[in-house]
Amino acid sequence: MAEKIRFGVIGAGKISEVLHVPNIYNCEYAELIAISDPNAARLDFFKRKLNDHRVHFYTDYMELLDKENIDAVVVAVPNSLHAEVALQALEKGKHVLVEKPMAANSEEALKMVKLAGENKKVLMTNHSQRFFPHHQKAKEIVQSGILGEIRLVKTMFSHSGPENWSPTAGWFFRKDSAIFGALGDLGVHKIDLIRYITDLDIIRCVSVTDTLEKKANVEDIACAILKLSNGALATLDANWITKGLEENYIVIYGEKGTMKVGQTDPSKIEIYLEKPVKFHGEINMKPLFTNEDPYWKLPVVDHFTKVCLGMEKAIVKPEDGYIAIKIIEKIAESFQKKGEVIIDV
């Protein structure tokens, strides 16, 4: 039996509750050692929920890093602190699984990538949509060539806002802590997913963002048109103003057919082929996870742990997190400049 990776979780917010902490407990190669958060009420919540005397709790993450004998940390703090915490952990020789977006800006992200490389530590951004079985199957379908050359990709991720999901959502609406709004919260997922499923680069963009409903100084709606490296176009819609449902889909339009993932039915991948005869096929899957689910059974921590142990190759490489934040920056820049910008990564 392989050794266990001892984890510290830095940040006791909702994402740790529904994904990271239960994932650690359900991973045979992982062990939870400590949790830190300056919010004492959230620490008390986890103390009661876990009822595990082996887990230690800290209001200062530096105490966790200094006092506990841990191999890896999950960084699940407000976006503005991602780089600061991750760099401290890497300096102390820890592997790092950091929430998206990887950092507040691409310069910080690049520092993280370089330090992880220098210290020979695993650095992975939680681009969790790569782990959805739907998206892994969609990537296989694209790679098979059945759809032909990609011409257009449509993506959307939206819901009514983080305040309807997280008990500590206030920071999402402040630029000093969140840096971005719906773009950094939701759009970054689809930016990464476009690259993952298509194996294409995003090279140019033009965008419009606005704040229509939320009391916030970050955008609650963003729309972008992206140019892909093969000449195709992609559209990105991300917002916190969608009422009554959660939109989470990607549609691939190829020269030979079309594939819909999560657009018309969250439990199906639909494939429409033009030749040799008109064809409509379906692949049935478990429905996509939404914010209504109390626990996201995604193998993020399991995979990260196995990468740390040398058992698997990383699905999300350090540079993937850097590229995603770079593209988000360029989408924001496009709106500020009121025109198209080139994406150089």
Side-chain angles (χ1 to χ4, degrees), residues 176-238:
D176 63 342
S177 54
I179 313 300
F180 303 99
L183 261 178
D185 181 34
L186 305 178
V188 71
H189 275 303
K190 294 306 184 187
I191 288 295
D192 182 69
L193 192 64
I194 290 169
R195 294 184 60 249
Y196 173 67
I197 289 180
T198 68
D199 257 340
L200 297 171
D201 294 319
I202 299 170
I203 59 174
R204 299 205 305 272
C205 69
V206 63
S207 69
V208 177
T209 69
D210 210 336
T211 308
L212 301 181
E213 292 186 0
K214 305 302 182 188
K215 292 179 179 177
N217 58 357
V218 292
E219 77 286 345
D220 61 15
I221 185 169
C223 303
I225 300 173
L226 314 168
K227 186 77 168 178
L228 305 183
S229 52
N230 73 335
L233 295 181
T235 63
L236 168 70
D237 289 292

Side-chain angles (χ1 to χ4, degrees), residues 90-164:
L90 289 167
E91 286 280 9
K92 291 184 177 293
K94 317 300 182 187
H95 302 294
V96 173
L97 172 59
V98 60
E99 263 306 316
K100 52 74 200 169
M102 184 183 195
N105 56 63
S106 55
E107 287 183 9
E108 288 185 349
L110 202 54
K111 287 180 184 176
M112 293 161 64
V113 172
K114 288 180 177 177
L115 185 59
E118 290 168 3
N119 289 2
K120 295 182 171 55
K121 294 299 171 184
V122 176
L123 170 63
M124 194 173 94
T125 304
N126 182 26
H127 286 301
S128 58
Q129 296 222 347
R130 292 191 181 209
F131 294 87
F132 280 60
H134 309 67
H135 298 148
Q136 293 180 347
K137 177 59 70 174
K139 183 178 177 70
E140 287 179 24
I141 292 166
V142 169
Q143 288 178 331
S144 77
I146 194 172
L147 301 177
E149 184 80 8
I150 293 171
R151 303 293 193 223
L152 173 67
V153 180
K154 288 173 61 176
T155 61
M156 186 167 188
F157 197 3
S158 66
H159 52 57
S160 60
E163 74 276 23
N164 298 306

Side-chain angles (χ1 to χ4, degrees), residues 56-340:
H56 302 154
F57 296 88
Y58 299 92
T59 54
D60 183 345
Y61 77 89
M62 286 303 296
E63 280 195 70
L64 179 150
L65 290 175
D66 289 334
K67 288 185 177 181
E68 295 296 343
N69 187 20
I70 57 175
D71 307 300
V73 297
V74 173
V75 178
V77 296
N79 302 341
S80 61
L81 299 173
H82 283 182
E84 175 187 320
V85 176
L87 289 168
Q88 292 274 12
L90 289 167
E91 286 280 9
K92 291 184 177 293
K94 317 300 182 187
H95 302 294
V96 173
L97 172 59
V98 60
E99 263 306 316
K100 52 74 200 169
M102 184 183 195
N105 56 63
S106 55
E107 287 183 9
E108 288 185 349
L110 202 54
K111 287 180 184 176
M112 293 161 64
V113 172
K114 288 180 177 177
L115 185 59
E118 290 168 3
N119 289 2
K120 295 182 171 55
K121 294 299 171 184
V122 176
L123 170 63
M124 194 173 94
T125 304
N126 182 26
H127 286 301
S128 58
Q129 296 222 347
R130 292 191 181 209
F131 294 87
F132 280 60
H134 309 67
H135 298 148
Q136 293 180 347
K137 177 59 70 174
K139 183 178 177 70
E140 287 179 24
I141 292 166
V142 169
Q143 288 178 331
S144 77
I146 194 172
L147 301 177
E149 184 80 8
I150 293 171
R151 303 293 193 223
L152 173 67
V153 180
K154 288 173 61 176
T155 61
M156 186 167 188
F157 197 3
S158 66
H159 52 57
S160 60
E163 74 276 23
N164 298 306
W165 178 64
S166 171
T168 57
W171 67 267
F172 280 93
F173 303 112
R174 300 192 305 271
K175 191 173 182 63
D176 63 342
S177 54
I179 313 300
F180 303 99
L183 261 178
D185 181 34
L186 305 178
V188 71
H189 275 303
K190 294 306 184 187
I191 288 295
D192 182 69
L193 192 64
I194 290 169
R195 294 184 60 249
Y196 173 67
I197 289 180
T198 68
D199 257 340
L200 297 171
D201 294 319
I202 299 170
I203 59 174
R204 299 205 305 272
C205 69
V206 63
S207 69
V208 177
T209 69
D210 210 336
T211 308
L212 301 181
E213 292 186 0
K214 305 302 182 188
K215 292 179 179 177
N217 58 357
V218 292
E219 77 286 345
D220 61 15
I221 185 169
C223 303
I225 300 173
L226 314 168
K227 186 77 168 178
L228 305 183
S229 52
N230 73 335
L233 295 181
T235 63
L236 168 70
D237 289 292
N239 72 65
W240 289 332
I241 62 168
T242 297
K243 308 300 192 303
L245 81 163
E246 182 173 307
E247 294 273 47
N248 187 356
Y249 65 76
I250 185 166
V251 184
I252 310 284
Y253 299 84
E255 60 175 329
K256 298 176 183 177
T258 303
M259 175 176 61
K260 296 185 175 186
V261 185
Q263 188 187 42
T264 52
D265 187 330
S267 66
K268 290 185 175 71
I269 295 174
E270 297 172 282
I271 303 169
Y272 304 81
L273 298 180
E274 184 183 27
K275 293 179 180 179
V277 293
K278 200 167 189 178
F279 170 78
H280 175 201
E282 295 178 350
I283 299 172
N284 292 302
M285 315 282 283
K286 290 182 180 179
L288 293 162
F289 291 109
T290 73
N291 283 352
E292 298 299 315
D293 291 294
Y295 166 40
W296 299 345
K297 296 177 184 178
L298 292 171
V300 178
V301 167
D302 188 70
H303 171 68
F304 173 75
T305 301
K306 289 174 180 175
V307 174
C308 293
L309 292 170
M311 299 167 67
E312 291 182 359
K313 290 187 177 180
I315 291 174
V316 185
K317 297 179 175 61
E319 55 268 25
D320 291 320
Y322 161 72
I323 291 170
I325 190 65
K326 182 80 169 182
I327 294 169
I328 291 295
E329 282 180 334
K330 290 295 184 179
I331 290 173
E333 180 185 326
S334 168
F335 174 62
Q336 291 167 356
K337 292 184 174 179
K338 302 294 186 282
E340 187 181 62

